[in-house]
Amino acid sequence: QLAAMGGPAGPTRAASPGPAAQPPAPPRRRARSLALLGALLAAAAAAAVRVCARHAEAQAAARQELALKTLGTDGLFLFSSLDTDGDMYISPEEFKPIAEKLTGSCSVTQTGVQWCSHSPLQPQLPCKWDHRHVYEEEELPPDPSEETLTIEARFQPLLPETMTKSKDGFLGVSRLALSGLRNWTAAASPSAVFATRHFQPFLPPPGQELGEPWWIIPSELSVFTGYLSNNRFYPPPPKGKEVIIHRLLSMFHPRPFVKTRFAPQGAVACLTAISDFYYTVMFRIHAEFQLSEPPDFPFWFSPAQFTGHIILSKDATHVRDFRLFVPNHRSLNVDMEWLYGASESSNMEVDIGYIPQMELEATGPSVPSVILDEDGSMIDSHLPSGEPLQFVFEEIKWQQELSWEEAARRLEVAMYPFKKVSYLPFTEAFDRAKAENKLVHSILLWGALDDQSCSGRTLRETVLESSPILTLLNESFISTWSLVKELEELQNNQENSSHQKLAGLHLEKYSFPVEMMICLPNGTVVHHINANYFLDITSMKPEEIESNLFSFSSTFEDPSTATYMQFLKEGLRRGLPLLQP
């Protein structure tokens, strides 16, 4: 063999008939052996990789455990939000956002941070540092001949004395938790100029009837979809029709969320007047603001609603008037919620307060950006005498009109279907009950039932808007809802003893947060149930409920609807015999 291969020749010997004399393995068997060897090596390598991965995971877990022990939950939250590569070390580049915040060198409009979900240490946290979104509208090419509208912001900050928990140290509330609220004392932009084309989203769809609501921004949430995360700081970039609303609300504060965390979201509108060339559109917007930035915890500021109107030409080339505001006719009109921990499961504090003024209003009708003479040459905005140019606007002759009150009611029903039942003011409801000899269905709660400064979200989104409940309430009751604070003021009012008595009878039965009551026209409460107890029993299985007072009816599949129906019927059973003939 060696000779054949070119090796040195030498003496040879006869081959013995034993195993050594077997011929070499054929090529196929040799290839199979090499493949087997390769597979074994690959398996060994994979096993080694798995061992290394497990070792790395164990080391990472050990580092995380040590960090948690050293820093605590909140400290580790902040550390991991800065540690963008998850190596448990903070590099100068990773520390840069904190340095910019502490030194005040961070630009509000072009740089900054937002929270996102990439933490290899704590994947349950929805947050990490990243560059803030820069809001860029898809602008049309500037048109020198288009009109512009100047809008002014009027803002008076929330009155701290109207908050239940406004004092430092009360229920653990610190100045740090409320710092974003305390520091918000003026509008972010006292004045801004808009092109009239920016207001095109307020135009009605083709063929829209007077008073028929439509959605500018549809609500995407319901009691079935749940709520959006509380642990966020910066809103997503607005798109489409959201852009103009985001730009308007940004005049108040730089971090508006056009879509709220809970339903009903969005913006709804309806036509209140129509002429040959113009529309008057009334609108209602549900939006909220984030008052904190990292490393503070989120603080949500949710006004009751934004409402207002716009008068614009049918082609949106001219805006005659615009106004947007938070209604201030109630004693409480803002809900506030803030986190006391690093994760979604952290404690959430809630309070309600009153903001006197939060309003945007046009300084006058829109005017051309550039004025051209008959030859097409640009004219200065002043006459040769130095006086500003004066514009004369034609009087609008409306062909169809709808009252503000009726339009507001229709928008309210669009947002809250439970308002298909008329809920009268407190004292008016009892006067109506006397006149019609009916029982009063009354809801007493901490926050408003029909806006976003609310403590009755679950109630209004479930049983109060179900068809059987709506039918029974309309047929057999006079309905009302009231704020605890307003009834307390009514009880302390010495001018009307009958109103004092009505308020006192209600407050005697009230327990936080919501109490539902059935009353006689004189204010006597014949039946009542607390919302927390109501939710508890509707979450139980029918066989677990001992009392037949709140037993489930086979007529309705929804336990909440069935239980509330039983509550109303029990109120009728107790109250009807006591009504005056």
Side-chain angles (χ1 to χ4, degrees), residues 329-509:
H329 62 285
R330 289 176 180 163
S331 59
L332 298 169
N333 61 357
V334 176
D335 175 79
M336 288 157 285
E337 302 179 12
W338 59 96
L339 283 171
Y340 264 113
S343 67
E344 199 67 32
S345 60
S346 301
N347 292 332
M348 175 76 82
E349 288 291 349
V350 180
D351 208 342
I352 301 178
Y354 177 76
I355 188 167
Q357 187 177 38
M358 196 170 182
E359 179 179 2
L360 302 178
E361 189 168 16
T363 58
S366 62
V367 294
S369 304
V370 176
I371 304 170
L372 305 177
D373 61 16
E374 295 179 355
D375 299 327
S377 301
M378 185 175 69
I379 301 177
D380 190 20
S381 59
H382 291 80
L383 296 172
S385 62
E387 297 179 1
L389 293 171
Q390 300 294 323
F391 296 92
V392 178
F393 301 97
E394 79 278 15
E395 180 182 354
I396 302 175
K397 297 181 179 179
W398 300 110
Q399 299 168 345
Q400 301 179 63
E401 292 186 75
L402 185 70
S403 70
W404 174 276
E405 293 77 14
E406 177 60 20
R409 187 193 69 80
R410 296 190 184 192
L411 294 181
E412 191 174 61
V413 172
M415 284 286 192
Y416 301 117
F418 84 91
K419 292 303 293 284
K420 293 175 183 178
V421 168
S422 296
Y423 283 77
L424 302 178
F426 182 72
T427 56
E428 184 180 334
F430 285 93
D431 291 340
R432 179 78 63 85
K434 290 177 183 178
E436 299 185 15
N437 201 32
K438 286 185 175 181
L439 298 174
V440 176
H441 165 244
S442 179
I443 300 175
L444 183 57
L445 64 171
W446 193 33
L449 188 61
D450 56 7
D451 64 38
Q452 299 300 81
S453 62
C454 173
S455 56
R457 296 172 194 161
T458 303
L459 191 66
R460 73 184 180 205
E461 293 172 12
T462 55
V463 296
L464 291 182
E465 68 175 43
S466 67
S467 296
I469 300 300
L470 290 172
T471 300
L472 184 58
L473 290 176
N474 274 320
E475 290 177 351
S476 303
F477 294 91
I478 303 297
S479 292
T480 183
W481 69 263
S482 311
L483 294 174
V484 172
K485 183 175 182 179
E486 292 178 349
L487 290 199
E488 289 174 343
E489 294 172 354
L490 195 63
Q491 188 181 32
N492 295 328
N493 188 351
Q494 304 295 327
E495 298 179 0
N496 194 316
S497 58
S498 62
H499 291 176
Q500 273 187 309
K501 180 182 177 182
L502 287 174
L505 290 171
H506 257 58
L507 292 170
E508 285 178 3
K509 303 297 184 182

Side-chain angles (χ1 to χ4, degrees), residues 29-45:
R29 184 179 302 172
R30 186 182 299 117
R32 188 181 301 114
S33 300
L34 292 175
L36 179 60
L37 177 60
L40 291 175
L41 291 175

Side-chain angles (χ1 to χ4, degrees), residues 264-282:
Q265 300 172 304
V268 66
C270 74
L271 283 169
T272 61
I274 302 175
S275 78
D276 288 335
F277 303 104
Y278 290 93
Y279 292 125
T280 297
V281 176
M282 182 178 176

Side-chain angles (χ1 to χ4, degrees), residues 30-74:
R30 186 182 299 117
R32 188 181 301 114
S33 300
L34 292 175
L36 179 60
L37 177 60
L40 291 175
L41 291 175
V49 169
R50 286 195 295 271
V51 170
C52 291
R54 285 196 295 269
H55 180 66
E57 291 175 359
Q59 284 186 325
R63 289 197 300 267
Q64 182 179 1
E65 183 178 355
L66 179 60
L68 181 61
K69 183 177 179 181
T70 304
L71 301 174
T73 302
D74 295 343

